[in-house]
Amino acid sequence: MLRKKAYSIEPNPNIITIGRTQDSDIVIADYAISKRHAQIVVFKDKYFIVDVGSTNGTSVNEISVIPGMKVQLSINCTVSFGRICFVFAHPLQVYRGMRREIMGM
């Protein structure tokens, strides 16, 4: 589940900022990440990624995101910021995976 920082610089509660600076909602401390790299926009229970003009780009399932264009995220898609890659997962998926790992199931 994505939540904004209480002191986020972005006033819109449906926009989660991603970048290298500490005032981003999601901080990725790597020099391949721009200070202001991307945003996740939540609209009608759907999640979209927007590259905000980053240097090394953003991609979804290895397809580049054109800066300023919204791309819908689906469960289990890969999202890459420069050389850093994440899997977009439902919170229950993460919980169940962690539980299996801890319990040895």
Side-chain angles (χ1 to χ4, degrees):
M1 177 171 251
L2 294 172
R3 294 182 201 263
K4 293 183 71 56
K5 288 182 177 178
Y7 54 89
S8 177
I9 60 166
E10 173 58 53
N12 187 335
N14 295 325
I15 296 177
I16 292 121
T17 58
I18 301 166
R20 197 175 68 233
T21 60
Q22 293 299 313
D23 58 354
S24 297
D25 294 312
I26 298 173
V27 177
I28 305 172
D30 186 286
Y31 284 101
I33 307 301
S34 296
K35 291 177 182 177
R36 306 252 184 269
H37 197 99
Q39 297 175 333
I40 295 176
V41 179
V42 184
F43 182 72
K44 294 188 178 182
D45 294 328
K46 294 181 181 168
Y47 293 85
F48 299 86
I49 191 89
V50 179
D51 185 288
V52 294
S54 66
T55 301
N56 292 317
T58 302
S59 62
V60 176
N61 292 330
E62 299 183 15
I63 299 170
S64 293
V65 174
I66 297 168
M69 179 178 276
K70 280 195 270 190
V71 174
Q72 186 173 348
L73 299 175
S74 57
I75 300 298
N76 293 326
C77 71
T78 58
V79 181
S80 301
F81 305 106
R83 64 182 181 189
I84 310 294
C85 187
F86 296 90
V87 175
F88 187 73
H90 190 281
L92 234 102
Q93 248 182 317
V94 176
Y95 169 76
R96 288 178 181 150
M98 289 173 58
R99 187 166 184 253
R100 273 194 301 273
E101 196 65 31
I102 293 168
M103 304 296 276
M105 303 168 121

